[in-house]
Amino acid sequence: VDVSVDGGVTWTNAASWTADSVNGEAVSLDLSAVAAGQATVQLRFHYLSGWDWYWLIDDLEVVTN
């Protein structure tokens, strides 16, 4: 999961996994260290694999405090 606060010019990695680490469990990320006080925030997700399995995102929710 990457975060950008400059329109996608630069990206900061907020989280990454190298194995089956969540197995259907909910994951919550606190992005305040990167995105606090920013007017525009972009998120991107990407998947890299050497053996063509899959990934999925389900029920994504983005909230602000």
Side-chain angles (χ1 to χ4, degrees):
V1 180
D2 296 335
V3 181
S4 178
V5 295
D6 60 6
V9 174
T10 60
W11 294 89
T12 300
N13 182 259
S16 63
W17 294 268
T18 58
D20 295 341
S21 58
V22 293
N23 198 21
E25 299 171 18
V27 174
S28 179
L29 300 176
D30 181 357
L31 304 177
S32 61
V34 178
Q38 300 298 318
T40 303
V41 177
Q42 292 177 300
L43 301 176
R44 74 177 177 186
F45 305 86
H46 53 99
Y47 172 74
L48 301 172
S49 174
W51 42 286
D52 296 325
W53 274 92
Y54 66 91
W55 67 300
L56 62 100
I57 298 172
D58 191 20
D59 297 327
L60 176 67
E61 182 179 4
V62 178
V63 296
T64 62
N65 292 329

